[in-house]
Amino acid sequence: MLRRKQFWFAIMAILPTFAIFGWVRLFPIIETLRLSMHEWNLLSKNKPFVGFQNFIELFSDNQFMDALTNTAVIAFGAMAVTIPMSMVLAAIIYHRTRSRFSGFYETAVFIPHVVSLVPAAMAWKWIFDAKLGPLNAIIMGLGGDALPWLFDPVLSVICIIFLVSWQTLGYGVLIYLVGFRNLPKSVFEAAQLDGANGFQSFLYMSVPLLKPITLYVSVVTLISGFNVYAQAYVLASDTQGAPGRQVRVLVLDMLENSFQNFRVGYAAAEAVILLSIVLLLTMIQFGLLRGKGGR
Amino acid sequence: MSAKARARRTNFLLDVTLFVICILLLTPLILLIANGFKTPQEMLVWPPTLFPKDPTLENFHKVFTETPLLQWMLNSFLFALLSTVAIVATSALAGYIVGKFPFRAINIIFILFLATAIIPFEVYMIPLYFQVKALGLLNSVGGLLVGYLVMSFGIFLIRQNVIASIPDELLEAARIDGAGELWIFWYVVLPLLRGPLAALAVLAFFQAWTAFAWPIIVMTRKKSFTIEVGLANFQSAYTVDLSLLSAASAAVMVPSVLAFVLLRRNFVEGIAASGMKE
């Protein structure tokens, strides 16, 4: 009797959340999958079924391939910068936990992560500006040639990697700090007694012991890298905001196909590809964790 | 040199290194604020000045009187506040239920919550846009809110805390005393979840405040822009006036950084919890 009362309370209490969830998460997700197999130009009432036609077309679409390449380069580039830097930085901050500045360190490293994307991108935009920015001023001061940072397609991708890494670094440091605090102290004391110096115990003990954390941060960084949009929107449009100069990334290409070219089904197919990439990355993470026997 | 003196020297060097790195990381933001105080003429000087020679408040005055910046901030604030309330309310109740009522139906619902947690918002925002459009909610805070009513991670976070910090005996004791389930949730469970709920609230607020892709498709009228969308479109809507743009960005950034510094503990708690779920 009591159990039945509890059951009905649980159902009634979770129902509102579950209903909202179905409405704003489950339904649009299923709709994305469905639309990716259909053709829909926004205006016409009928949405003919086209099977995998959208996907086949995507892989011969230069703009999409361009977007996919750029996005992948940005995601992996940002990860390659963020992981080693945040690990070393967290190691030093952890080592100086008792320093009276440790609060300042943590705050300063984390601020770029909490500043909203657009003001942060504005800050970097001026630094990278070819004609007015301090970066070229420094390069020229050192005797180099000014570079068209935000106009050259390769350089602007590098700029976006820089901006994304600067923002992710604080997150990485934070998670690694949690990791360092959870490491068994005794192992390190033993290593110290055996004469290992700080650098050696970092390289041969912390790095392998923190592998699960590294895996987690890598996957989170990669997934957020694949969703990059605001950074490209602000940074790589020229000062007049002409959209033609934007670095093409997946989300941008998707929105353009949907709202400018009126090809919603086609855009949904892109979304499904984005989803598959994210699922694949997550599965690799779980697979590697299980392969290592967890921790 | 004794070992102690050597350790002290290493520590000193590490502190110096950390200081330099921290200052470097903050430099772009400091320069942005500095640019907000420059005159438009000074922005065009080569080589660029780092700090304004002739600081002026003119840009800030102009930003607040001649642009809808305040309106945009208000839109963002309202959106973030309502989203926080919705996420905290749904996560608290749902998190408690999935944590303490292990019926099969509830477990299935929890798995559904979790399964969608890794799917990025960008994947399904286009169909969601059409749902909002069908309701006639485009260009309204209500429409914006539709995307930010629930948070899988929030439900998960509360569930973990419920399991870790609320003993079954406590709930049983209350039930034996004849307390109703809602009464228990409100007077026994909620007070014990104050810490994680605060962390979640800070996280939810920042998530909505910094949202970009969703507001940019839902809010297309200038008056209804959120601050992020407004700022991003600022550069095309106004003549290229970098000092004005910097002042606007700084005016938006400074309050959020201050809020973060004040709420750092809550924030860090929330984010760190996300990394602990292995």
Side-chain angles (χ1 to χ4, degrees):
Chain A
M1 183 60 203
L2 195 63
R3 240 184 103 71
R4 251 187 70 180
K5 223 176 88 189
Q6 276 180 32
F7 176 75
W8 284 110
F9 166 74
I11 293 291
M12 294 313 286
I14 210 161
L15 207 60
T17 308
F18 187 60
I20 298 174
F21 204 83
W23 174 44
V24 302
R25 291 281 183 277
L26 297 181
F27 180 73
I29 290 170
I30 294 167
E31 192 67 2
T32 302
L33 296 174
R34 200 179 66 86
L35 279 174
S36 73
M37 303 269 206
H38 290 74
E39 193 162 330
W40 185 33
N41 64 5
L42 272 180
L43 301 168
S44 79
K45 278 233 152 32
N46 49 335
K47 310 173 188 173
F49 178 81
V50 293
F52 288 99
Q53 194 52 47
N54 285 329
F55 294 91
I56 295 166
E57 194 186 331
L58 269 179
F59 284 96
S60 53
D61 174 346
N62 283 334
Q63 292 209 320
F64 168 74
M65 290 313 279
D66 202 24
L68 189 63
T69 319
N70 281 337
T71 313
V73 169
I74 291 169
F76 281 95
M79 181 194 75
V81 176
T82 308
I83 294 293
M85 280 184 68
S86 53
M87 197 181 205
V88 171
L89 209 53
I92 306 177
I93 293 178
Y94 174 67
H95 185 77
R96 299 297 297 138
T97 303
R98 268 173 299 172
S99 158
R100 92 189 75 148
F101 306 112
S102 66
F104 166 73
Y105 300 147
E106 278 181 54
T107 314
V109 170
F110 205 61
I111 279 178
H113 187 71
V114 292
V115 172
S116 22
L117 291 172
V118 179
M122 295 280 179
W124 283 97
K125 195 173 175 160
W126 178 67
I127 293 177
F128 289 132
D129 195 287
K131 279 178 260 151
L132 303 167
L135 181 61
N136 269 347
I138 293 171
I139 293 177
M140 285 165 81
L142 296 172
D145 287 328
L147 290 170
W149 289 105
L150 299 175
F151 291 93
D152 184 85
V154 175
L155 289 177
S156 39
V157 168
I158 294 177
C159 290
I160 295 178
I161 292 177
F162 215 89
L163 169 59
V164 173
S165 312
W166 173 75
Q167 288 174 323
T168 332
L169 187 69
Y171 175 77
V173 168
L174 179 76
I175 303 292
Y176 272 118
L177 272 176
V178 175
F180 274 109
R181 283 177 193 139
N182 290 340
L183 286 181
K185 301 250 176 335
S186 55
V187 190
F188 286 87
E189 280 158 14
Q192 208 171 17
L193 284 179
D194 286 340
N197 62 31
F199 179 71
Q200 282 167 333
S201 54
F202 172 76
L203 201 59
Y204 297 111
M205 310 199 35
S206 306
V207 173
L209 281 173
L210 288 172
K211 213 176 236 171
I213 305 254
T214 304
L215 209 52
Y216 175 76
V217 180
S218 311
V219 171
V220 171
T221 320
L222 276 177
I223 290 178
S224 76
F226 271 98
N227 289 306
V228 65
Y229 177 49
Q231 293 92 333
Y233 188 98
V234 177
L235 203 57
S237 63
D238 69 13
T239 14
Q240 273 77 33
R245 292 231 60 93
Q246 282 181 5
V247 170
R248 194 158 280 280
V249 290
L250 271 183
V251 176
L252 170 81
D253 200 55
M254 203 167 93
L255 291 179
E256 240 182 59
N257 274 327
S258 176
F259 296 114
Q260 280 172 28
N261 305 338
F262 306 115
R263 301 188 63 192
V264 182
Y266 195 60
E270 284 186 73
V272 171
I273 290 181
L274 177 62
L275 174 63
S276 325
I277 294 172
V278 169
L279 288 182
L280 185 73
L281 290 170
T282 313
M283 266 151 54
I284 291 175
Q285 181 201 10
F286 277 118
L288 285 178
L289 267 184
R290 194 160 301 163
K292 290 280 175 306
R295 181 162 53 117
Chain B
M1 208 175 347
S2 75
K4 213 171 180 183
R6 217 169 57 206
R8 201 175 295 155
R9 205 192 56 177
T10 323
N11 284 344
F12 177 73
L13 286 178
L14 287 178
D15 274 336
V16 172
T17 316
L18 282 176
F19 252 100
V20 172
I21 293 174
C22 288
I23 299 297
L24 277 179
L25 284 173
L26 295 179
T27 301
L29 303 176
I30 297 168
L31 292 179
L32 178 76
I33 298 173
N35 280 349
F37 290 97
K38 287 180 187 170
T39 59
Q41 291 77 30
E42 196 181 341
M43 285 306 294
L44 301 175
V45 173
W46 182 266
T49 51
L50 291 186
F51 293 101
K53 284 203 192 76
D54 185 15
T56 168
L57 285 173
E58 184 54 30
N59 296 322
F60 290 95
H61 181 75
K62 245 173 138 174
V63 157
F64 283 108
T65 52
E66 290 175 20
T67 73
L69 195 81
L70 271 179
Q71 171 76 46
W72 296 339
M73 283 174 101
L74 202 70
N75 292 344
S76 278
F77 186 80
L78 191 65
F79 163 52
L81 191 72
L82 292 174
S83 160
T84 306
V85 171
I87 287 176
V88 167
T90 52
S91 303
L93 194 50
Y96 167 58
I97 300 293
V98 295
K100 285 293 175 193
F101 294 82
F103 299 104
R104 182 176 303 155
I106 301 292
N107 286 340
I108 291 172
I109 291 178
F110 178 57
I111 288 169
L112 274 175
F113 286 157
L114 263 197
T116 54
I118 46 162
I119 301 179
F121 189 74
E122 284 78 359
V123 166
Y124 53 87
M125 69 181 175
I126 293 175
L128 193 61
Y129 167 88
F130 290 108
Q131 284 170 259
V132 170
K133 192 178 175 191
L135 292 171
L137 286 176
L138 290 184
N139 283 304
S140 75
V141 172
L144 207 50
L145 205 55
V146 168
Y148 285 75
L149 286 171
V150 286
M151 187 184 194
S152 300
F153 168 68
I155 297 171
F156 182 76
L157 178 76
I158 299 305
R159 172 186 178 265
Q160 297 303 87
N161 276 283
V162 163
I163 291 173
S165 62
I166 298 177
D168 284 335
E169 292 78 15
L170 189 67
L171 304 177
E172 284 310 319
R175 279 182 194 128
I176 289 165
D177 287 346
E181 292 293 340
L182 260 183
W183 191 94
I184 295 177
F185 172 69
W186 193 259
Y187 291 103
V188 179
V189 175
L190 270 190
L192 289 172
L193 291 176
R194 217 172 277 159
L197 284 177
L200 178 62
V202 175
L203 220 57
F205 192 91
F206 269 74
Q207 176 191 271
W209 181 263
T210 56
F212 185 78
W214 178 241
I216 212 168
I217 61 174
V218 174
M219 307 299 238
T220 49
R221 277 196 217 120
K222 196 166 143 194
K223 267 190 76 174
S224 58
F225 283 167
T226 63
I227 190 63
E228 290 281 285
V229 176
L231 271 184
N233 289 335
F234 205 110
Q235 40 182 1
S236 44
Y238 293 83
T239 43
V240 191
D241 187 344
L242 266 179
S243 53
L244 196 64
L245 209 57
S246 306
S249 303
V252 173
M253 188 184 76
V254 170
S256 66
V257 168
L258 283 181
F260 162 69
V261 173
L262 288 175
L263 298 168
R264 191 170 67 98
R265 293 251 165 269
N266 290 322
F267 203 90
V268 166
E269 209 178 295
I271 302 242
S274 73
M276 307 264 275
K277 57 186 171 192
E278 317 133 55

